[in-house]
């Protein structure tokens, strides 16, 4: 593609009037587009009880995408570990590795990816992990995924081995995700690849990368630090269209930041016609200043400059292009256009 590799982060957006089935169909079609265009990886996020987001269960979506793609690395961006028992996570991703050998990434996050009510529901419906035990559970998952498995020692002196799958021929690549100093330092101390959630936070990126790189302790699997960056991006044939397609997600971000009631994503027409206020405008403008929005050529130039500034050779795009009323609900029209235009411009 170019010396800057491109990847995709997908939250499986749901717009007004769109069903979950249609949203997931659109995202699986988008994964096919990314595969055909030569993107490196495609990750699904984990969020719960949000009217505009259908990516509630990354392992299920990864399995579906594996049957529709041939080259992409598929993964989680990320599995929110406090919501899940480490053994279950390890078993799910060991099975995914068996389905798509050599193509699975396991991105792990420490945040719950939900509100306190959902967190309690998750804890009440099955065994989950204590957020304070996150470092140990990361190690446990790595051990469970290995060929040797994890050894439990009884007080009586006996030993019991647990494996995520009976006869693994490969293991998913584990990444730590985060938007804080904590996650950067933990990844460095464990010798793991690390991704800062720049698409969501946008604050503290330079410090997190510095902490990760300067404190990195080489591991057998990863002798050097590995990282890439995430960005929100919209590309269209014209700047005007790109700005219009960016507005629905920008307004959704404002509702989230201002603790306003959430809803399905507006269409482009709905966002353009909606009433606004000073607080919303302020959040929208602040977020827009960090997003890459424009023509394929202008966004590609921003991607190149961004990668060079922070010393990475891969950028993961969250394609946040909204949809027009008349566009099919089961097709990723604006998001596919974003991937296509940026890829084409980076090749030129």
């Amino acid at each position: 593609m170019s010396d800057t590799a491109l990847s995709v982060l997908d939250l499986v957006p749901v717009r007004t009037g769109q069903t979950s089935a249609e949203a997931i169909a659109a995202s699986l079609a988008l994964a096919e587009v990314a595969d055909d265009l030569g993107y490196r990886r495609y990750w699904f996020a984990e969020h719960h009880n949000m009217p505009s987001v259908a990516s509630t269960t990354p392992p299920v979506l990864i399995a579906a995408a594996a049957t529709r793609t041939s080259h992409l690395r598929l993964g989680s961006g990320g599995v929110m570990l406090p919501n899940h028992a480490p053994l279950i996570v390890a078993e799910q991703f060991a099975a995914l590795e068996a389905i798509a050998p050599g193509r699975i990434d396991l991105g792990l996050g420490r945040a719950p990816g939900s509100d306190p009510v959902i967190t309690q529901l998750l804890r009440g419906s099955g065994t989950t992990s204590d957020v304070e035990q996150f470092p140990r559970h990361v190690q446990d998952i790595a051990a469970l995924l290995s060929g040797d498995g994890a050894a439990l020692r009884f007080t009586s002196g006996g030993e019991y081995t647990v494996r995520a799958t009976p006869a693994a021929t490969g293991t998913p690549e584990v990444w730590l995700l985060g938007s804080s100093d904590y996650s950067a330092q933990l990844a460095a101390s464990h010798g793991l690849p690390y991704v800062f959630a720049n698409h969501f936070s946008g604050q503290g990126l330079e410090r997190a990368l510095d902490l990760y790189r300067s404190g990195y302790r080489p591991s057998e699997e990863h002798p050097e630090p590995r990282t890439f960056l995430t960005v929100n991006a919209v590309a269209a044939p014209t700047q005007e269209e790109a700005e219009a397609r960016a507005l629905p997600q920008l307004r959704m971000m404002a509702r989230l930041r201002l603790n306003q009631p959430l809803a399905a994503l507006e269409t482009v027409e709905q966002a353009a016609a909606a009433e606004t206020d000073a607080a919303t405008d302020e959040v929208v403008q602040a977020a827009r200043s960090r997003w890459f929005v424009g023509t394929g050529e202008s966004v590609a130039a921003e991607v190149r400059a961004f990668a060079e500034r922070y010393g990475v050779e891969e950028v993961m795009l969250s394609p946040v292009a909204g949809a027009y009323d008349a566009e099919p609900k089961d097709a990723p029209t604006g998001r596919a256009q974003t991937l296509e235009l940026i890829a084409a411009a980076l090749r030129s």
Side-chain angles (χ1 to χ4, degrees), residues 285-308:
Q285 291 168 12
R288 169 63 185 87
S289 69
R290 297 190 296 270
W291 291 17
F292 296 173
V293 180
T295 64
E297 291 76 13
S298 70
V299 174
E302 288 187 278
V303 167
R304 286 195 187 98
F306 188 62
E308 183 177 353

Side-chain angles (χ1 to χ4, degrees), residues 40-185:
R40 177 174 289 178
R41 62 185 96 234
Y42 198 105
W43 285 7
F44 293 98
E46 177 187 337
H47 293 285
H48 300 281
N49 200 39
M50 295 182 68
S52 63
V53 174
S55 60
T56 57
T57 175
V60 173
L61 296 169
I62 293 167
T67 67
R68 305 271 290 267
T69 59
S70 302
H71 311 293
L72 283 169
R73 292 193 64 89
L74 302 166
S76 54
V79 165
M80 299 293 101
L81 190 49
N83 299 340
H84 310 282
L87 175 59
I88 299 302
V89 174
E91 288 178 333
Q92 289 172 339
F93 278 79
L96 289 169
E97 177 66 24
I99 292 169
R103 292 206 289 137
I104 301 299
D105 295 329
L106 170 52
L108 295 170
R110 183 170 174 261
S114 59
D115 59 52
V117 174
I118 296 300
T119 298
Q120 289 304 312
L121 285 173
L122 288 165
R123 290 184 179 278
S125 60
T127 302
T128 57
S129 60
D130 185 346
V131 68
E132 300 304 323
Q133 297 298 316
F134 182 72
R136 181 171 67 82
H137 288 152
V138 170
Q139 292 179 309
D140 289 345
I141 287 173
L144 289 163
L145 287 168
S146 71
D148 294 334
L152 303 177
R153 299 187 185 279
F154 300 123
T155 55
S156 61
E159 188 173 284
Y160 185 84
T161 301
V162 183
R163 294 181 176 86
T165 194
T169 55
T171 59
E173 186 166 73
V174 177
W175 292 73
L176 286 194
L177 318 178
S179 57
S180 67
D181 294 351
Y182 175 89
S183 55
Q185 291 170 315

